[in-house]
Amino acid sequence: MKYFATFAAMLLLSISAFAQDGKSIYNKYAGHKKVEAVYISSAMFRIMGKLPELEINDKDVNLAPVVKSLNGMYLIECENRELCAKLKADVEKMVSAGKYELMMEIREEDETVRIYTIGTEEEIRGFVFFVMEDDECTFINFDGCIPRESFEKALSKAR
Amino acid sequence: MKDIGYINRLDDKTLEALADDVNVHVPRDLSAKVNEALLAAALSQEDSVQTAASGRHRYVIPAALSFVCAAAVFASLHFRGYGQPEDTFDDPYLAYAAFEQAFSRVSGKVNDCARISSAADHAIELTSATMNRLKINE
């Protein structure tokens, strides 16, 4: 019985590390004042993938392979300085717990951009984009089994 | 010394005769010893009752702790909003527009980074060429 109690206590202590993912961050911050939140589910991505024609911008970009392989998109745009600080901490917990790899970081005068990915050489299972400015921040998380080549090609062309 | 079994088998007349026999020596402290034995028996019975009760109590605290931990885990999961959120858009075209906008934003920053790193590549190439020329001149 005491071993079970010890196990339950350890589970409680570790729960904060396991709880951080795109969904939990979205649920935590959506609905707050000065926060814009967008969620697209896997079901919606499947419907989007079956649309007879996707309205693609005038450049030669094929987002169809990316759309069809996504399980979810979470977007949080926050214009509250305090919430931005908390969101930044939660994103850092998420990437460290999920063992994301820092793909790139751009530091400019008033803006820091960090991009994290997790996956293999063939596919990307998670993508996190986080921009921190003075009074606002943006968090975008793509979830799925995205072919890396298609994703990188689309990123380089879609602008 | 006769044992209890032997004494129980004796009839009443034999017991009376034995009681009247003044030659049988009764130890002086027999009563004290009997009382002591009865007291010890009573105390050991009380101890075994207490041990059984404390044995039951031993499990109460860990069980309560486990329950509190499980309740805290459940509350943590519940209040962190572990439920599945709802789609922001019902219209797939609007959803696609939002996705495309987000993707374009990411793409813009990635391309900015690529542009900065390609400018650094140019600087590295220039430095390397300068160093090679200096080696040739030496």
Side-chain angles (χ1 to χ4, degrees), chain A residues 56-106:
Chain A
I56 303 169
N57 60 15
D58 54 356
K59 293 189 181 148
D60 184 21
V61 179
N62 184 12
L63 293 177
V66 177
V67 166
K68 287 175 182 176
S69 58
L70 283 171
N71 289 336
M73 183 190 97
Y74 305 91
L75 183 146
I76 298 281
E77 281 185 327
C78 179
E79 291 177 2
N80 180 319
R81 190 191 279 263
E82 279 179 24
L83 280 180
C84 282
K86 288 180 185 175
L87 177 56
K88 185 185 172 194
D90 282 336
V91 170
E92 282 168 5
K93 264 191 226 170
M94 174 187 170
V95 296
S96 61
K99 296 187 181 154
Y100 279 78
E101 198 181 327
L102 178 65
M103 184 175 142
M104 62 179 69
E105 182 181 82
I106 306 166

